[in-house]
Amino acid sequence: MTIVMFVIVLLLAVGIGLYSRVGAGKSTADFLVGGRSFGSVVVFIMVVGEVYSIGTIIGFPGGVYAHGVGFAVWFMGYILLGYPIGYFLLPLLWKAGRQYNAMTLPDIFRGHFKSRPLELTAALIGVVFLIPWAQLQLTGLEVALNGLGLGLTPLVTVLIGVGISLVFVLLSGIRAPAFVSFLKDFALIAVILVVAGFVLNKVPNVATIITHANVGSEHTTIPGGAPMLNTISTLLFQTIGFYMFPFVIQAVLSGKSPVSIRYTQIVMPLYMLMYPFILLTSFFAISAAPGLTGADTNLAFIEVARQLLPDWLVGLVAGGAALCAIVVLAASALVIGTLFSRNVLTNISEARQKPMTQVVIFVYLAISIVLTLVVPTIMGTLINTAYYGLTQLIVPVLLMIFPTRVRPGAMAAGLAVGALTSIGIYLSGATLGGLNIGVPALAANLLVVGIGRLVSPAAEPTQSLAARRRRIPADSGAPAGWTHHTARKESAS
Amino acid sequence: MIPRTASVVIALITPITLVTLGVLLLGGSTATIFGIPLILLFMFIMFPVTSLLMWISWRLFDKHADYQLDEFEDAAAEVAP
């Protein structure tokens, strides 16, 4: 029964993925950014679908199990504060996307700064630092399928997930993750509420669950010193990098207006009200499944499900969790292919971009499979690792908004130094007294940019994406081709 | 698309300041309300509060902002280094 329910969930997802082809155009823009036609609801579902991955269902309880409330606070905090940043930043990125006919952030850099080195460096950072993100999804998938108790080998489990992701991407481009996200977002909430419901049925008192979580070691406070420094620095650092994720930017560029994107940001934090329920399960796991250490802490959530739920419901939960991984994996794979074919390899005709994208996706998934199987890692660490590099992209983004005389070459050098610094510190194993590794890497990035500005400033400051036009079309008549988006127009459509 | 300062203060600076101060001040507290640690309760309250702050900025300042896709005519001055 377990496996039947699991298969039903995944077949439903594949069905929706195939259905998403209906009415889809065949152009590259359609494949990658849905023809830039998605309204508020679809953008909301896509962003939610891609932000709340299996890292939330499986990784979050594992992190709370291992590190207590300090982990929960940075995890919830950076997502929460990412939305106000998105409220101001995303309309500008959307506008730049239209202005430069962009499908990726490096496309926007190329259009704005006219710099090939900057485009290439940004694209490579996107490609490299999305590998831990795929590893995160595959690790979670392994845990979810493990929960089925079928005794599948890790290789088989990841191949199943990757196979379904490929079906989505190769058939329908961005439309499949967008459509399947509807089912996935529902499944995520359902899985969290069902398991929390069974926990409360077992121990009806929240205070008791939390008290038991403190037996052995303290899980409900953030001690001063290194743990607090880690929580605060990770929270703020990842807040800055939240909207630098290539697939989230791709979702934003697929929106049909900046107004629809702003609406989504206002509503986004309300979706987070699921976190109290998943925290409950996380705290319960500490006393219900004691003794998990290292990468095994990833099992905390699924262990609780297996202990409390009937078999058929475990199948449903595992299917829902697997779906979360598959959707995000599909979106990540798609954006990796896009970055590579558009921004890394040049001189490729539009017609060859699609097949090239598909080849790169195969390679990316293969590398991620190998890393997942060879280097099992705590899922929280994989999240951090992706952010170390991707957050570096905020520097050129800010320099598009605030005019400076920094040369694009200096920005590219800053990006490279920042990314390499984070990799160096990570591999050295230095703990920096709890400070998030990305912080000194970002400082190094800024230092290079600052030195570049002082030593070799550009002749003219760059133009700001936020600057107002001199003439308002309502006053002076808009030239043909200008598009005016207003809240009134959006709400009426 | 240049946001009003008041909008930035309400929707961006306020939630970031509140969350940062809240974590620093309440993170070490062992106090609980209905058995829930104070720091977690604070974070949960910040979810709707952050939404509310953005909505206030939207209603007061950004609803009728100019979302024009525009071309620029003047080179802007560099921000102070």
Side-chain angles (χ1 to χ4, degrees):
Chain A
M1 199 58 190
T2 313
I3 188 72
V4 171
M5 296 309 289
F6 180 82
V7 169
I8 287 175
V9 173
L10 292 192
L11 282 181
L12 194 57
V14 171
I16 295 173
L18 293 176
Y19 175 74
S20 71
R21 298 181 75 187
V22 176
K26 296 211 182 312
S27 72
T28 306
D30 227 305
F31 188 70
L32 300 176
V33 286
R36 303 182 200 279
S37 60
F38 296 158
S40 294
V41 175
V42 181
V43 171
F44 175 84
I45 293 287
M46 277 176 70
V47 173
V48 162
E50 288 159 17
V51 166
Y52 302 104
S53 68
I54 199 157
T56 295
I57 294 188
I58 304 286
F60 181 79
V64 174
Y65 186 104
H67 305 292
V69 83
F71 180 94
V73 166
W74 75 246
F75 196 106
M76 296 186 294
Y78 89 87
I79 296 174
L80 176 68
L81 295 182
Y83 297 132
I85 289 183
Y87 178 86
F88 292 103
L89 181 63
L90 297 188
L92 294 172
L93 286 182
W94 179 90
K95 176 176 149 183
R98 283 291 162 111
Q99 203 161 317
Y100 304 123
N101 195 24
M103 297 180 192
T104 65
L105 189 57
D107 276 353
I108 295 177
F109 290 156
R110 182 187 56 214
H112 194 81
F113 294 114
K114 317 263 182 299
S115 165
R116 172 69 184 146
L118 180 58
E119 176 196 5
L120 185 63
T121 317
L124 286 175
I125 285 176
V127 170
V128 169
F129 286 91
L130 270 185
I131 290 175
W133 205 254
Q135 214 183 330
L136 173 74
Q137 309 311 319
L138 291 174
T139 305
L141 199 62
E142 214 181 307
V143 172
L145 291 173
N146 201 346
L148 294 174
L150 297 175
L152 299 173
T153 63
L155 179 63
V156 172
T157 57
V158 296
L159 286 180
I160 291 173
V162 165
I164 298 172
S165 300
L166 280 175
V167 168
F168 286 170
V169 171
L170 301 185
L171 290 180
S172 320
I174 199 168
R175 282 177 182 270
F179 275 61
V180 179
S181 283
F182 279 94
L183 176 65
K184 178 248 148 196
D185 291 347
F186 171 76
L188 183 128
I189 295 281
V191 164
I192 288 170
L193 290 182
V194 164
V195 178
F198 274 83
V199 167
L200 280 173
N201 187 44
K202 175 92 174 165
V203 184
N205 191 329
V206 173
T208 310
I209 293 171
I210 291 174
T211 309
H212 286 169
N214 276 330
V215 174
S217 63
E218 185 68 37
H219 276 86
T220 54
T221 57
I222 311 170
M228 179 58 90
L229 181 60
N230 182 259
T231 298
I232 281 287
S233 61
T234 304
L235 192 164
L236 294 176
F237 177 74
Q238 295 192 176
T239 293
I240 298 170
F242 185 68
Y243 273 115
M244 295 301 106
F245 259 72
F247 49 78
V248 181
I249 289 181
Q250 202 164 353
V252 168
L253 295 182
S254 66
K256 69 179 173 190
S257 84
V259 178
S260 66
I261 291 164
R262 274 210 154 141
Y263 282 151
T264 62
Q265 298 309 296
I266 296 171
V267 182
M268 286 289 189
L270 299 179
Y271 192 85
M272 298 185 73
L273 290 167
M274 66 174 165
Y275 275 101
F277 297 96
I278 196 157
L279 260 171
L280 197 67
T281 306
S282 312
F283 283 134
F284 179 78
I286 296 169
S287 57
L292 301 176
T293 55
D296 279 348
T297 53
N298 293 334
L299 297 168
F301 183 84
I302 209 76
E303 277 298 317
V304 172
R306 286 175 69 165
Q307 281 184 26
L308 302 182
L309 274 56
D311 282 350
W312 67 272
L313 210 45
V314 172
L316 214 56
V317 165
L323 197 55
C324 295
I326 288 166
V327 168
V328 176
L329 201 58
S332 305
L334 190 66
V335 83
I336 283 278
T338 316
L339 284 169
F340 217 89
S341 60
R342 283 182 71 89
N343 305 118
V344 175
L345 307 170
T346 49
N347 303 322
I348 292 184
S349 66
E350 187 94 347
R352 284 194 60 207
Q353 274 184 15
K354 196 169 159 183
M356 186 61 80
T357 303
Q358 293 171 345
V359 169
V360 172
I361 286 169
F362 274 112
V363 175
Y364 167 68
L365 292 175
I367 293 173
S368 307
I369 290 171
V370 171
L371 282 174
T372 307
L373 298 177
V374 176
V375 198
T377 312
I378 295 176
M379 290 170 76
T381 308
L382 292 170
I383 295 174
N384 297 148
T385 312
Y387 274 97
Y388 295 152
L390 294 175
T391 305
Q392 307 301 324
L393 297 169
I394 193 68
V395 177
V397 166
L398 288 178
L399 293 176
M400 284 198 295
I401 298 169
F402 301 102
T404 61
R405 291 172 57 197
V406 176
R407 286 180 190 275
M411 296 179 210
L415 281 181
V417 167
L420 291 173
T421 305
S422 67
I423 293 172
I425 300 174
Y426 178 73
L427 293 178
S428 77
T431 56
L432 308 179
L435 184 69
N436 186 293
I437 290 172
V439 177
L442 187 60
N445 180 349
L446 287 168
L447 186 68
V448 170
V449 167
I451 291 172
R453 163 66 183 82
L454 292 174
V455 173
S456 175
E460 292 287 327
T462 47
Q463 283 177 337
S464 169
L465 278 178
R468 285 202 179 90
R469 287 167 300 104
R470 188 193 270 171
R471 291 175 298 130
I472 302 292
D475 303 333
S476 54
W482 281 13
T483 316
H484 205 156
H485 292 275
T486 66
R488 203 179 313 117
K489 186 177 175 183
E490 168 67 18
S491 58
S493 61
Chain B
M1 283 200 199
I2 296 175
R4 299 265 193 95
T5 308
S7 173
V8 175
V9 169
I10 293 171
L12 182 65
I13 296 175
T14 305
I16 290 179
T17 309
L18 284 176
V19 168
T20 308
L21 287 178
V23 173
L24 286 171
L25 295 174
L26 304 176
S29 168
T30 54
T32 59
I33 295 177
F34 304 119
I36 302 168
L38 216 49
I39 176 66
L40 290 179
L41 213 54
F42 167 76
M43 292 299 291
F44 299 155
I45 290 168
M46 281 308 296
F47 298 161
V49 167
T50 305
S51 254
L52 181 67
L53 290 168
M54 281 189 276
W55 181 79
I56 290 171
S57 270
W58 171 258
R59 282 305 297 260
L60 294 182
F61 307 108
D62 302 322
K63 195 174 178 181
H64 302 293
D66 181 16
Y67 292 99
Q68 179 74 37
L69 281 175
D70 40 28
E71 297 298 331
F72 308 105
E73 295 172 4
D74 299 330
E78 185 182 32
V79 290

